[in-house]
């Protein structure tokens, strides 16, 4: 336990009061070792039946206040010659989160599962072809730890649960917010969180600074749609999809935006966001659905307007806004009251003592990467308070 706690302290130590525009680090990775081992007596096993099962328990840190959630890493994958096999990943209630078959696993030597909202994961292997060549080892799990709430608020926090908003434009807000999803990626033994939103049938957009390494970013990335709290305050999740490829990207020092292709295609109930190239004017009302800290979706709409000061006016690729955000809100769309995307949240600050520092959103005309206009190159210091 001392090693794990020391590692968490080291992670949190690097999250100090520095330049914002950072993803939120909310989970760590721990090593385990559980190889796939079939029973020696295989009589009675059928090609459609269960041939192996293992329960993976997530460590629970003292004081951990986050909801149960974990991911499991399968390593040293070897597939059998034939296709009568699959691996099911389920929670402790038997709800199947993901089915891994040849279509998903072909060409891979390892894979991180989608998140299981449970204190344990059930890994089950089905099919007699698995007995003739399937091999893997469960060697790592990722799970949340209790975190520091690093603020990027303007004044006091006005963040609310999105589905609790009852204003006159609540239908518009609800429809627009359905395009917004939580994005997470595992890298260097931590899992970081940002926000993304749907821009096409199988495309989502997020901040480029959420992507640490383009070469293998999609290997561990998942996107959750409709992650929110229900009327009883319990978190529920809609569809979970994987990142397939990076389609296009503009550097964090420019437009700071990236387009990803996902699979499977998100359900039609999740709106495809519409853009306008026209920037909001000073004082124009805005709203920002987001997933700060990897939490169920929050909404900033109270006292959420475009506002400028000397720092924001000097930024060539962004404008200022007073909408409340936290780490993990990066990549969230900024909507006007017509339900159009008029920016993408890119930077705030990490000092809870500061309450008058404007946040930054990328200018809307820079979010359409098909134009080839990606903004002027600037330095990270231009985004600091």
């Amino acid at each position: 336990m001392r090693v794990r706690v020391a590692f968490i302290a080291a992670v949190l130590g690097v999250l100090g009061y520095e330049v914002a525009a950072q993803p939120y680090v909310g989970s760590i990775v721990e090593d385990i070792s559980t190889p796939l081992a079939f029973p020696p007596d295989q009589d009675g096993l059928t090609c459609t039946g269960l041939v192996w099962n293992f329960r993976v328990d997530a460590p629970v840190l003292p004081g951990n206040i986050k909801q149960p959630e974990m991911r499991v890493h399968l390593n040293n994958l070897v597939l059998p010659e034939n296709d009568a096999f699959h691996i099911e990943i389920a929670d402790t209630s038997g709800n199947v989160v993901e089915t891994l078959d040849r279509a998903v696993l072909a060409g891979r030597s390892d894979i991180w599962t989608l998140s299981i909202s449970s204190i344990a994961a059930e890994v089950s292997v089905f099919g007699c072809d698995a007995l003739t060549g399937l091999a893997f080892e469960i060697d790592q799990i990722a799970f949340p730890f209790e975190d520091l709430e690093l603020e990027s608020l303007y004044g006091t926090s006005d963040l609310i649960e999105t589905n609790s908003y009852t204003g006159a434009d609540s239908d518009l807000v609800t429809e627009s917010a359905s395009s917004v999803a939580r994005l997470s990626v595992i890298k260097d033994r931590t899992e970081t969180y940002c926000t993304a939103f749907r821009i096409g049938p199988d495309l989502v957009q997020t901040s480029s600074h959420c992507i640490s390494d383009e070469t293998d970013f999609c290997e561990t990335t998942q996107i959750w749609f409709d992650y929110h709290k229900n009327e009883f305050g319990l978190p529920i999740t809609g569809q979970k999809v994987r990142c397939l490829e990076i389609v296009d990207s503009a550097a964090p020092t420019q437009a700071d935006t990236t387009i990803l292709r996902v699979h499977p295609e998100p359900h039609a109930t999740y709106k495809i966001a519409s853009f306008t190239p026209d920037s909001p004017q000073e004082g124009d009302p805005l709203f920002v659905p987001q997933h700060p800290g990897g939490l169920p979706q929050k909404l900033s709409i109270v006292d959420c307007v475009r506002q400028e000061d000397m720092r924001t006016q000097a930024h060539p690729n962004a404008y200022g806004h007073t909408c409340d955000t936290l780490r993990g809100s990066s990549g969230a769309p900024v909507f006007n009251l017509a339900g159009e995307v008029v920016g993408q949240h890119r930077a705030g600050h990490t000092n809870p003592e500061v309450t008058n520092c404007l946040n930054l959103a990328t200018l809307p005309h820079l979010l359409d990467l098909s134009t080839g206009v990606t903004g002027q190159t600037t330095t990270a210091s231009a985004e600091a308070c």
Side-chain angles (χ1 to χ4, degrees):
M1 180 63 71
R2 285 197 297 269
V3 173
R4 192 189 307 153
V5 172
F7 177 75
I8 293 172
V11 171
L12 296 180
V14 302
L15 297 181
Y17 301 148
E18 56 194 40
V19 174
Q22 298 287 329
Y24 173 82
V25 180
S27 296
I28 61 173
V29 173
E30 183 169 274
D31 295 328
I32 61 174
S33 180
T34 304
L36 171 64
F38 295 119
D41 182 6
Q42 298 170 6
D43 291 342
L45 296 179
T46 67
C47 286
T48 58
L50 175 70
V51 296
W52 187 80
N53 172 263
F54 187 79
R55 175 182 167 122
V56 185
D57 292 302
V60 179
L61 297 180
N64 193 334
I65 59 174
K66 287 206 167 208
Q67 71 171 82
E69 182 182 323
M70 62 184 294
R71 297 178 73 179
V72 177
H73 186 243
L74 309 185
N75 200 9
N76 301 319
L77 276 163
V78 178
L79 303 186
E81 290 186 4
N82 298 316
D83 295 339
F85 78 94
H86 66 273
I87 305 167
E88 285 187 358
I89 311 298
D91 62 22
T92 53
S93 297
N95 300 308
V96 177
V97 174
E98 184 174 28
T99 299
L100 305 174
D101 56 14
R102 185 179 300 278
V104 177
L105 299 176
R108 288 178 173 267
S109 62
D110 71 295
I111 190 169
W112 278 100
T113 68
L114 297 175
S115 287
I116 303 100
S117 299
S118 179
I119 59 173
E122 296 283 346
V123 181
S124 303
V125 176
F126 294 84
C128 64
D129 282 343
L131 303 172
T132 62
L134 180 66
F136 61 81
E137 178 186 12
I138 303 172
D139 68 341
Q140 291 181 320
I141 54 175
F143 59 96
F145 58 81
E146 188 171 1
D147 56 286
L148 296 175
E149 186 169 298
L150 298 175
E151 300 185 67
S152 188
L153 306 173
Y154 190 83
T156 58
S157 176
D158 295 310
L159 287 170
I160 60 174
E161 303 297 331
T162 300
N163 64 344
S164 70
Y165 179 66
T166 57
D169 44 9
S170 59
D171 288 344
L172 172 77
V173 169
T174 299
E175 181 183 19
S176 301
S178 71
S179 68
V180 178
R182 188 188 85 168
L183 180 148
S184 65
V185 58
I186 295 176
K187 179 72 175 178
D188 297 331
R189 301 187 67 84
T190 61
E191 186 168 20
T192 58
Y193 301 88
C194 281
T195 302
F197 62 106
R198 191 182 189 192
I199 65 165
D202 62 348
L203 300 175
V204 301
Q205 196 152 339
T206 190
S207 289
S208 297
H209 70 255
C210 296
I211 299 172
S212 56
D213 186 350
E214 289 193 10
T215 57
D216 60 0
F217 172 79
C218 279
E219 292 297 310
T220 67
T221 298
Q222 60 173 350
I223 296 99
W224 288 17
F225 284 92
D226 199 20
Y227 180 41
H228 67 281
K229 287 187 177 180
N230 64 15
E231 62 269 28
F232 304 108
L234 299 175
I236 58 174
T237 308
Q239 187 180 13
K240 300 175 184 178
V241 300
R242 290 183 175 274
C243 173
L244 280 184
E245 63 174 340
I246 297 175
V247 176
D248 206 350
S249 184
T253 55
Q254 297 177 326
D256 188 28
T257 193
T258 292
I259 298 172
L260 308 173
R261 193 178 310 280
V262 300
H263 180 81
E265 184 176 304
H267 300 322
T269 52
Y270 307 133
K271 180 180 172 65
I272 295 175
S274 58
F275 292 78
T276 176
D278 301 325
S279 297
Q281 301 300 305
E282 181 86 4
D284 280 357
L286 307 167
F287 65 93
V288 184
Q290 57 193 276
H291 288 278
L295 295 171
Q297 192 179 103
K298 308 289 185 185
L299 175 69
S300 178
I301 192 168
V302 177
D303 298 329
C304 177
V305 300
R306 175 171 180 171
Q307 187 170 315
E308 300 291 349
D309 59 17
M310 291 181 63
R311 178 182 66 95
T312 61
Q313 287 175 339
H315 201 294
N317 305 317
Y319 62 83
H321 66 83
T322 63
C323 309
D324 288 329
T325 62
L326 299 172
R327 282 203 177 190
S329 302
S330 294
V334 179
F335 290 99
N336 62 19
L337 295 190
E340 300 168 318
V341 176
V342 292
Q344 180 176 292
H345 176 65
R346 64 183 289 152
H349 62 89
T350 59
N351 188 343
E353 302 302 320
V354 174
T355 60
N356 62 349
C357 179
L358 295 172
N359 295 322
L360 289 172
T362 296
L363 293 164
H365 73 275
L366 298 179
L367 299 178
D368 183 359
L369 296 181
S370 66
T371 66
V373 179
T374 57
Q376 302 178 41
T377 300
T378 186
T379 61
S381 61
E383 303 197 346
C385 284

